Amino acid sequence: MKKIQMVDLKGQYEGIKTEVNEAIAEILDSSAFINGPHVQAFQNELQDYLGVKHVIPCANGTDALQICMMGLGLQPGDEVITADFTFAATVEVIGLLQLTPVLVDVEPDTFNIDVKAIEKAITPKTKAIVPVHLFGQCANMDEIMELAKKHDLYVIEDNAQAIGGSYFSKDGSKQKAGTIGNVGATSFFPSKNLGCYGDGGAIFTNDGDLAHIIRGIVNHGMYKRYYHDVVGVNSRLDSIQAAVLRAKLPKLDYYNQKRWEAASKYSQAFKGQEHIVVPKISCSCDSEKSVCDCHVFHQYTLKITNGKRDALVQHLNDNDVPCGVYYPVPLHKQKAYVDDRYNEDDFPVTNQLVNEVISLPMHTELDDEQIEYITSLVIDFVNK
């Protein structure tokens, strides 16, 4: 059996090696390192793939979120509601802009933001909601968009973990994750479903006026060289990263299909296990028999409900199986974001999840032998 990795980027690279190497050599020869032809081409190709009017590439996913908030004109003191159970970048940018983060609880099965908790947290100072499409599956965008419309709020989709995924609306329509709200942000960090070989990110919107503002912000506030119309930042996707992403984008649906297939095999192996809760798929797809893009499994995350999660992490590591705990500490308990406004009784789900979740290896190169080894180790340890 080949070595098990949490993410096998080298194995994935072998399938696109020639294309990537030739594109990078071309960029080195041309020296078009910033805003070169590959960046514009990738922008256009991603727009077509997502079915969105505007894609604005940028330097990383954290910048993408910050620039979305800057583009919408949010001001210090404005409240922004987001999930307590997610990576810190989501709330980090809120703090950097001197906005007021309002953290709320998540759903116990999808791990996505709880719409009822959002509604309860809305005040006259609330200006935006940031749903995080955690682990590869969209939050309940139908209800979030209805709530935003009712209260005249912006919706900024944090799509760092769900690129290529789709949301199936209750009216039967289907839209790509990140293209439903006022604006969406994603990351191309190497381990993402669509990852480059360094840092990278992008912003999506169907609003032409907002896109224009954002295009200025990412480039020092310039629309014309040395003329600064808005306060901006330096956040540009470089040409080499764009070339890598161009090689991967046509294969994204295939990559996500391979993740779905691996997730289905995991879930089938864990079926009927009393203390192991497999990921919930919120659309009507059959996770065991069909392939569907409503969940693209950036992570395959279990809940271990008998108190053995931490011991299981050690057991897997001892047997050369990497795993991850995403996330071990809720944002409302992080030193940087502690606030007297928060009541522990408002976070029962998050406070439980941090003690139960464990993410298993998930990538495009997983094979049946590896999955069988991993699942056997988990089942045997949890049940002993």
Side-chain angles (χ1 to χ4, degrees):
M1 182 176 67
K2 63 182 181 181
K3 182 181 179 181
I4 297 173
Q5 300 183 64
M6 195 68 180
V7 181
D8 186 1
L9 295 176
K10 185 176 180 180
Q12 188 185 69
Y13 167 62
E14 292 299 323
I16 54 175
K17 187 173 185 177
T18 299
E19 187 175 355
V20 168
N21 289 358
E22 288 178 354
I24 291 175
E26 174 197 326
I27 293 166
L28 295 176
D29 285 340
S30 70
S31 298
F33 300 120
I34 301 293
N35 287 335
H38 279 281
V39 178
Q40 183 63 51
F42 173 66
Q43 172 185 305
N44 294 338
E45 289 159 5
L46 188 57
Q47 284 172 180
D48 291 343
Y49 174 82
L50 293 173
V52 70
K53 292 180 180 178
H54 305 281
V55 166
I56 303 98
C58 63
N60 57 70
T62 307
D63 277 5
L65 281 170
Q66 178 176 323
I67 292 162
C68 287
M69 295 178 193
M70 293 172 68
L72 290 169
L74 302 186
Q75 297 296 312
D78 288 348
E79 293 180 354
V80 180
I81 299 173
T82 194
D84 187 39
F85 186 65
T86 187
F87 183 59
T90 312
V91 69
E92 180 178 65
V93 297
I94 300 172
L96 284 170
L97 294 174
Q98 299 183 46
L99 309 173
T100 301
V102 178
L103 300 169
V104 301
D105 211 2
V106 297
E107 298 174 339
D109 46 9
T110 69
F111 313 138
N112 279 321
I113 194 165
D114 185 332
V115 178
K116 291 185 176 63
I118 296 174
E119 188 163 24
K120 183 180 177 183
I122 292 172
T123 76
K125 293 183 179 180
T126 307
K127 293 296 185 293
I129 304 168
V130 184
V132 181
H133 302 324
L134 200 68
F135 300 153
Q137 181 168 227
C138 284
N140 187 340
M141 291 304 294
D142 280 330
E143 293 189 9
I144 290 170
M145 294 305 293
E146 289 173 6
L147 196 58
K149 184 177 180 180
K150 177 181 176 182
H151 294 277
D152 194 25
L153 305 176
Y154 295 119
V155 175
I156 304 165
E157 293 178 73
D158 183 337
N159 195 42
Q161 298 188 17
I163 189 73
S166 294
Y167 181 72
F168 293 76
S169 182
K170 61 186 179 183
D171 67 6
S173 63
K174 175 180 172 181
Q175 289 177 267
K176 285 295 186 184
T179 69
I180 304 163
N182 299 92
V183 64
T186 200
S187 166
F188 300 127
F189 187 79
S191 63
K192 303 300 186 186
N193 294 38
L194 180 63
C196 54
Y197 293 161
D199 270 319
I203 298 158
F204 323 135
T205 185
N206 286 304
D207 184 330
D209 292 338
L210 178 59
H212 175 72
I213 294 169
I214 287 172
R215 290 191 195 284
I217 292 173
V218 302
N219 191 33
H220 296 289
M222 293 189 294
Y223 301 100
K224 179 181 178 181
R225 193 165 178 80
Y226 302 126
Y227 291 80
H228 304 270
D229 294 356
V230 295
V231 175
V233 297
N234 177 20
S235 186
R236 296 170 298 211
L237 181 69
D238 74 68
S239 296
I240 289 177
Q241 304 309 330
V244 172
L245 293 165
R246 289 190 71 198
K248 287 189 173 187
L249 181 58
K251 302 179 186 297
L252 178 56
D253 288 345
Y254 169 75
Y255 291 157
N256 286 340
Q257 175 182 331
K258 295 296 290 183
R259 287 172 176 269
W260 176 281
E261 291 171 355
S264 297
K265 291 171 183 176
Y266 273 140
S267 293
Q268 181 62 26
F270 293 131
K271 192 172 183 179
Q273 295 295 319
E274 181 182 1
H275 302 298
I276 301 173
V277 180
V278 302
K280 178 185 177 180
I281 297 167
S282 58
C283 70
S284 60
C285 298
D286 185 334
S287 62
E288 296 175 9
K289 297 179 181 178
S290 62
V291 174
C292 181
D293 62 356
C294 67
H295 199 320
V296 293
F297 288 101
H298 175 61
Q299 302 291 351
Y300 182 88
T301 303
L302 299 172
K303 291 194 294 184
I304 305 300
T305 60
N306 62 351
K308 291 188 174 183
R309 193 278 307 279
D310 290 344
L312 175 60
V313 170
Q314 186 62 53
H315 178 67
L316 291 175
N317 289 337
D318 290 344
N319 285 276
D320 299 318
V321 174
C323 59
V325 174
Y326 312 116
Y327 299 92
V329 181
L331 289 178
H332 79 273
K333 290 184 178 179
Q334 297 282 358
K335 290 181 181 179
Y337 306 112
V338 167
D339 195 300
D340 291 340
R341 293 175 295 126
Y342 296 131
N343 186 329
E344 287 302 314
D345 292 339
D346 291 331
F347 302 100
V349 175
T350 297
N351 286 337
Q352 183 173 353
L353 289 179
V354 296
N355 294 310
E356 294 183 346
V357 293
I358 180 172
S359 296
L360 302 181
M362 173 51 66
H363 53 80
T364 58
E365 311 304 309
L366 277 173
D367 61 37
D368 289 351
E369 184 181 16
Q370 292 175 315
I371 291 172
E372 183 177 356
Y373 178 71
I374 295 165
T375 54
S376 296
L377 278 175
V378 172
I379 291 168
D380 291 347
F381 184 81
V382 170
N383 288 331
K384 73 178 181 181

